[in-house]
Amino acid sequence: MAGQLVTPIVVLIATTPRFNNLQSVAIPSIVAQKLRPVAVVIVSDQRALNAAEHILLQELLGDLPLVTLKNSFLPGAAGSWNTGINAIAQRFKHSYIAILDDDDSWQPDHLLLCYKSSDDGQADIVLSGINVTKNNNNIAVNIPTNITVNDFLVGNPGWQGSNTFVRVKALQAVGGFTNGMISSNDKDLAIRLLTENRFRVTYTRQATVNWACGLCDTALSAPGSVQKRKGCAQFLQSHGHRMSSLQMQQYFQRMEKLFNINQQDILTELQRLS
């Protein structure tokens, strides 16, 4: 069926690597898709996947082509995604990239619904809904509709890594992800894409992504973490100029409530970046 698509789909995964997650969560989710992607690209951040690991993942994927790469930019998810975007652009320059985090999963109709909602490949961005899960229990459902730049300055109305479904050329037009950004990569990308005012966004209006939040203390969104504090400062450095004074205050309040990081902590970190 993928060969009949006007715009083919390539799945992109960034990993540190966490091989067990790839093997038990992400890859089975891809194999179960009703709509087959044309390829899977896995980019490893801290070390390259070895030959044995590649072979095992390829066996799980069957005849679905697998490309494994090492992050060629600054360490982190952004650099890993950008490495994959560049590789995909060379081979599938007219494709959609569907990102899947290694500890998240898609429901079997995720890619099919995204493509159907793209008006046969006409949309540049397709956003699906997210089931927020913790300890295998659904704790919330986020279904984005009619998003704007302002939605992302303070919070996030429902754009995460694993529901990112964007045309390669749109990603290239804004320079991909911001290399070296520690967290808020989804918000940062959303703001830069939406600011362009030339990319068409459509919505599936169904939750087909299962986002596993707060699985470990080393997660980028772990409350009170050094990496989250630095990520907040980077986000303000890039997008603080877009915020009104009220939005800025709402941003600080949200960070303290959700992540136990206060305004002074973030401002001190921001001063270090300057």
Side-chain angles (χ1 to χ4, degrees), residues 174-224:
V174 298
F177 290 88
T178 300
N179 285 310
M181 180 165 275
I182 295 173
S183 67
S184 300
N185 284 290
D186 39 21
K187 285 157 52 87
D188 171 67
L189 178 68
I191 290 168
R192 289 184 292 109
L193 283 169
L194 296 173
T195 300
E196 289 287 311
N197 288 321
R198 61 188 172 103
F199 299 125
R200 184 180 172 197
V201 184
T202 60
Y203 306 88
T204 70
R205 292 180 163 79
Q206 295 186 51
T208 53
V209 174
N210 302 313
W211 174 45
C213 73
L215 284 185
C216 63
D217 292 337
T218 58
L220 293 180
S221 57

Side-chain angles (χ1 to χ4, degrees), residues 30 64 77 98 140 203 206 246:
I30 297 168
L64 183 58
Y203 306 88
Q206 295 186 51
L246 176 59

